[in-house]
Amino acid sequence: MVVQGISYAVAKKKKGMTVGFVTFETVEQLRNAVEVLKENRSGGKQIKIADANRRSHQKLHAEGPVSNNGAATENSSDAAAPADGASGPEAAGASKRTVRDAVTPLAHMAYSDQLEHKKSSVAQLLKKLTRNAKKACPADVTLPDWISNAKQIGGLSCKLEGILESPVIDGYRNKCEFSVGHSLAGKKTVGFMLGNFREGVTAVEEPVDCPNVSAMSCKYAMIFQDFLQLSCLPAWNRVDNSGFWRQFTVREGRSPAQAVVAQDTQTQISEVMIIIQVCSTGVDEVLMKDEFAKLSKTLVQGAATCSPPLPLTTIVVQDHVGISNVAPADCPLIPLLAPEVDQSEEGAVDKTRIHDHISNLRFSLSPTAFFQVNTLAAERLYTLAGDWANLNSDTLLFDVCCGTGTIGLTLAHRVGMVVGIEMNESAVVDAQRNALINGIKNCRFVCGKAEDVMGSLLTEYLGSPQQHIAASESNSEVNGTGKKEDIVGGAENNGKSTESLTEKNDSSEINEDLDDGVSKELEGGHEQCNEAVRNQNSEEASSLVNEESIDAKAADCSEHTKTREEGSSISKNDVLAATACQFKNFVAIVDPPRAGLHPTVIKVLRTHPRIRRLVYISCNPDTLVANAIELCTPSTEHREKNKGHRGWRNMSSAGLARQRTKSMPNSEPFVPKRAMAVDLFPHTSHCEMVMLFER
């Protein structure tokens, strides 16, 4: 092919990348291309040129010097690098970097130093929030006190109360996703990449000396790696997106928390799920099934011959044809090994799942279910979130982005009712199933994108903001005792139950109270599910014998509830009246993915005056800062319409948030009150961050 005077064989560039890869058929084509690129600029910038060395396994089959076969080009302000003799990023960078460096970059530090390092990083983000919120404040609005007083606490937007350390530092991950590829030496390898594709690094090396990975996961990875050496199907090639074996995931299920001994978690692993991701494109079905049979036999035998033997509960194949290893929720799953069940029982469903425990609750995990990778640290995280939310039996808790319901279910005994929101349908079924297993009856889980259902759910339970304004005017009158009674039930009401609820501290009794009248219609499908476990204790409900019926009932529960809600003729005013008499506190706990909360969700939370307290759990503090800017920046009556911005792709997340605040409806902003880091990922640079907002 010839483009702009350059002849080449293949050109490759992925969306969003500033680097592209070009392959040439001859040395003459390469030299001509280098000369042309040196003389031309891209967007006013000099084009940087460097060799993109082939991966080692490709070198074995290449003819002639590898450096003469390809070059990488990148937009750069630097002068052009010499094409001849230059080291490619994989050869130069990856050879100096170990897997330990790539996966656990803080492992060389003492754990106390790691905690200080992360605490310092979180402090910088809180300062960033203060600066950006100050910039975003409208000119006609007085700066809020939390910004004005930030200098008194070193520029922080709120008090940073430290960092919670992980109870387990080594081998804590209950889920390890191993990449499949070739090492620098050209061997089929199961492990971790030494870098990323953007850096031109595709080499995979064994998970040697990675302290966050459990020994059991490493043993399974080595069993699978030995199998690959004999497999006739190729490993995944990230350069041309071809191959069969893509990823190898080990999920571990641990015994109840009280039996776990810190730093000795491997002995507590009772169940193991293995997920093998493949790409079946162009592969003969008979050959594929034969490979699966061999693989299943190899894993079972390998687990049995280890000393001591390794637990193995289920093996699942995920057939994914996309470029990224991140597969969609509806990606086909093929079970290779599952626990024996009574197939004669009608209604038996998918058994490819394992179980783990948080706060003595038993959670059933399907292959794609989200579950915190550090179970013991997650317990501390959820306890902290519940404490900061100031929960009591008068509380209606909204668990936004609830996943399989871990947060809502672990806090259900501390509140009157939990409403969980999750877009992943299988996760919602898992959440309902987990509620049934543990005999928890005061939770409702709704399937849908938070941005699509949050507004209607708040209106359903709390009424519209306009209704609240009218109601607050009439309910803030001085009552018979000479005290004002606010319908919102702010901080002064926390811990004070109404008379009707004082004697109903048990969550099941509260739920039965809710089932009367209007709320019986509202929760119609869930009442049918609750009846199935009303006469069983949680241990009986969680026994393996009853899991087929629990699966079926959870699915029926979801479908029945959806039908009842769609066909309900109850007015929103009736729902408001029914819920308002039961609850005084309305709290939201959000645990969004790395991208943060959708702008629509932020706007709904911000503009509904009955949400007075919000606990934000973040796995990506950068997006927490962006979301906090929108939640906490004062609004103005002279708001601007969101006209869009041509340069939004180049804006930081904080910059985009500042722009969106200009179109925020006039509403009472939240105030950042306190923050704390929680170390769920020792030896890495990541940590969770919890932040409390009030108004």
Side-chain angles (χ1 to χ4, degrees):
M1 287 184 251
V2 180
V3 176
Q4 297 182 351
I6 298 177
S7 300
Y8 63 95
V10 178
K12 184 178 183 64
K13 179 183 179 296
K14 291 189 176 181
K15 185 178 179 180
M17 291 180 60
T18 59
V19 62
F21 296 87
V22 184
T23 302
F24 302 96
E25 294 177 345
T26 64
V27 175
E28 288 73 18
Q29 285 186 355
L30 170 62
R31 290 173 178 169
N32 175 67
V34 170
E35 292 300 322
V36 174
L37 292 172
K38 283 183 178 180
E39 295 174 0
N40 290 275
R41 290 176 173 266
S42 175
K45 295 182 179 180
Q46 186 72 40
I47 300 176
K48 183 178 178 181
I49 306 169
D51 279 357
N53 285 12
R54 291 193 181 194
R55 296 186 301 176
S56 299
H57 76 281
Q58 292 176 319
K59 293 181 183 180
L60 300 176
H61 305 287
E63 295 181 3
V66 175
S67 60
N68 291 334
N69 286 332
T73 64
E74 180 178 8
N75 294 340
S76 171
S77 58
D78 299 332
D84 295 330
S87 297
E90 185 163 27
S95 61
K96 299 177 182 178
R97 195 183 193 193
T98 66
V99 170
R100 181 185 174 94
D101 296 331
V103 177
T104 53
L106 303 186
H108 66 283
M109 301 169 60
Y111 188 53
S112 58
D113 294 335
Q114 294 182 31
L115 295 176
E116 284 300 316
H117 174 80
K118 295 182 181 184
K119 181 182 175 182
S120 177
S121 298
V122 170
Q124 294 303 315
L125 288 165
L126 293 177
K127 294 178 183 179
K128 180 180 178 181
L129 169 57
T130 304
R131 294 193 303 268
N132 281 274
K134 185 176 181 179
K135 291 179 183 178
C137 280
D140 59 343
V141 175
T142 304
L143 284 178
D145 291 341
W146 68 270
I147 294 180
S148 302
N149 299 334
K151 289 184 179 180
Q152 301 175 14
I153 52 175
L156 303 180
S157 53
C158 62
K159 182 181 179 182
L160 177 58
E161 301 191 3
I163 180 168
L164 280 179
E165 65 182 52
S166 173
V168 180
I169 300 174
D170 296 325
Y172 58 84
R173 290 192 65 94
N174 57 41
K175 178 182 179 182
C176 291
E177 296 177 324
F178 298 104
S179 297
V180 177
H182 291 84
S183 67
L184 288 171
K187 178 183 178 181
K188 288 182 182 179
T189 304
V190 179
F192 299 114
M193 294 180 62
L194 292 180
N196 57 57
F197 190 82
R198 289 178 181 272
E199 300 169 340
V201 178
T202 59
V204 176
E205 296 293 341
E206 296 177 5
V208 177
D209 201 21
C210 295
N212 61 341
V213 179
S214 74
M216 186 174 296
S217 292
C218 287
K219 290 178 181 178
Y220 271 117
M222 292 303 99
I223 294 173
F224 182 54
Q225 180 173 291
D226 291 341
F227 168 81
L228 289 183
Q229 311 311 313
L230 303 176
S231 175
C232 60
L233 295 176
W236 187 250
N237 183 333
R238 286 169 181 78
V239 175
D240 56 13
N241 301 316
S242 65
F244 183 76
W245 305 108
R246 301 184 57 147
Q247 193 177 64
F248 183 76
T249 300
V250 181
R251 298 194 73 162
E252 302 168 354
R254 289 170 169 79
S255 302
Q258 69 268 22
V260 175
V261 178
Q263 308 303 333
D264 189 25
T265 56
Q266 182 170 344
T267 59
Q268 305 301 324
I269 300 172
S270 56
E271 298 181 65
V272 169
M273 172 190 292
I274 291 179
I275 307 167
I276 304 101
Q277 187 183 93
V278 302
C279 179
S280 62
T281 302
V283 179
D284 180 74
E285 186 174 354
V286 175
L287 175 61
M288 185 169 60
K289 289 182 178 180
D290 182 57
E291 286 290 293
F292 288 161
K294 293 178 182 177
L295 172 60
S296 182
K297 182 179 179 180
T298 298
L299 290 172
V300 171
Q301 290 180 345
T305 54
C306 281
S307 181
L310 306 180
L312 181 56
T313 308
T314 181
I315 304 173
V316 184
V317 170
Q318 184 183 58
D319 191 359
H320 174 45
V321 298
I323 295 176
S324 169
N325 284 351
V326 181
D330 59 351
C331 190
L333 297 174
I334 307 169
L336 300 185
L337 174 69
E340 294 184 4
V341 296
D342 184 5
Q343 298 295 336
S344 63
E345 180 178 351
E346 188 174 351
V349 294
D350 175 36
K351 293 294 299 177
T352 54
R353 56 178 70 243
I354 60 173
H355 301 84
D356 209 328
H357 294 77
I358 290 183
S359 299
N360 298 324
L361 296 181
R362 189 169 189 248
F363 288 90
S364 176
L365 306 177
S366 56
T368 58
F370 171 79
F371 197 75
Q372 291 286 3
V373 298
N374 188 338
T375 310
L376 297 182
E379 289 187 3
R380 293 188 173 185
L381 174 68
Y382 297 159
T383 300
L384 175 68
D387 291 343
W388 283 14
N390 205 3
L391 306 175
N392 54 56
S393 57
D394 283 344
T395 301
L396 173 58
L397 172 62
F398 291 95
D399 183 5
V400 185
C401 306
C402 67
T404 54
T406 49
I407 296 177
L409 292 172
T410 54
L411 300 178
H413 68 287
R414 301 173 61 176
V415 302
M417 182 178 179
V418 176
V419 178
I421 304 165
E422 170 60 41
M423 64 177 291
N424 188 314
E425 186 175 355
S426 63
V428 172
V429 173
D430 278 348
Q432 292 167 337
R433 187 177 191 277
N434 290 329
L436 289 169
I437 286 175
N438 293 285
I440 298 173
K441 307 171 185 177
N442 60 334
C443 293
R444 173 192 179 193
F445 297 99
V446 178
C447 184
K449 291 183 178 180
E451 58 267 30
D452 294 339
V453 302
M454 190 70 193
S456 59
L457 279 172
L458 287 182
T459 301
E460 179 180 343
Y461 282 96
L462 309 183
S464 66
Q466 291 76 15
Q467 285 176 315
H468 169 68
I469 292 172
S472 62
E473 291 175 353
S474 60
N475 283 279
S476 295
E477 301 288 336
V478 177
N479 61 21
T481 61
K483 297 181 180 179
K484 284 190 176 182
E485 189 173 41
D486 191 348
I487 192 171
V488 173
E492 68 275 10
N493 289 329
N494 290 330
K496 298 179 182 179
S497 304
T498 61
E499 183 177 355
S500 63
L501 288 178
T502 303
E503 299 176 358
K504 297 179 185 292
N505 292 325
D506 181 75
S507 62
S508 63
E509 292 179 329
I510 294 173
N511 190 68
E512 290 169 2
D513 208 36
L514 281 173
D515 283 337
D516 293 333
V518 176
S519 50
K520 177 172 285 187
E521 285 292 322
L522 189 65
E523 302 294 328
H526 295 277
E527 175 60 23
Q528 182 180 6
C529 296
N530 294 339
E531 190 64 33
V533 296
R534 198 168 299 253
N535 296 323
Q536 300 177 15
N537 60 31
S538 60
E539 292 181 355
E540 291 172 337
S542 62
S543 66
L544 187 62
V545 176
N546 295 328
E547 286 190 353
E548 294 85 2
S549 60
I550 291 174
D551 267 325
K553 288 168 185 172
D556 291 344
C557 172
S558 176
E559 185 64 29
H560 184 68
T561 302
K562 181 178 179 182
T563 304
R564 293 292 294 269
E565 288 172 353
E566 290 176 348
S568 176
S569 60
I570 305 173
S571 71
K572 292 178 180 178
N573 289 332
D574 290 338
V575 173
L576 173 62
T579 55
C581 68
Q582 295 291 340
F583 308 112
K584 288 186 176 296
N585 299 324
F586 306 99
V587 180
I589 296 181
V590 300
D591 186 11
R594 292 192 61 81
L597 288 175
H598 191 279
T600 302
V601 179
I602 296 174
K603 186 175 291 186
V604 169
L605 292 169
R606 165 73 183 261
T607 57
H608 204 297
R610 301 193 79 182
I611 300 293
R612 310 300 297 177
R613 185 175 292 106
L614 170 66
V615 178
Y616 194 123
I617 301 174
S618 174
C619 60
N620 184 0
D622 283 323
T623 54
L624 167 56
V625 169
N627 289 167
I629 292 170
E630 293 187 73
L631 289 168
C632 301
T633 301
S635 57
T636 176
E637 294 182 359
H638 309 290
R639 67 187 180 112
E640 299 178 9
K641 290 185 178 180
N642 192 352
K643 300 177 181 179
H645 303 275
R646 290 184 177 180
W648 68 269
R649 290 184 182 274
N650 297 322
M651 285 186 181
S652 65
S653 56
L656 285 171
R658 292 200 308 269
Q659 292 295 333
R660 283 196 289 264
T661 58
K662 297 179 181 180
S663 60
M664 180 67 68
N666 192 19
S667 54
E668 182 183 3
F670 284 91
V671 176
K673 288 294 186 179
R674 56 204 303 198
M676 179 173 280
V678 183
D679 189 21
L680 263 71
F681 316 103
H683 308 302
T684 77
S685 57
H686 303 290
C687 69
E688 297 275 315
M689 182 174 172
V690 182
M691 199 162 182
L692 172 65
F693 300 94
E694 290 181 346
R695 55 182 177 183

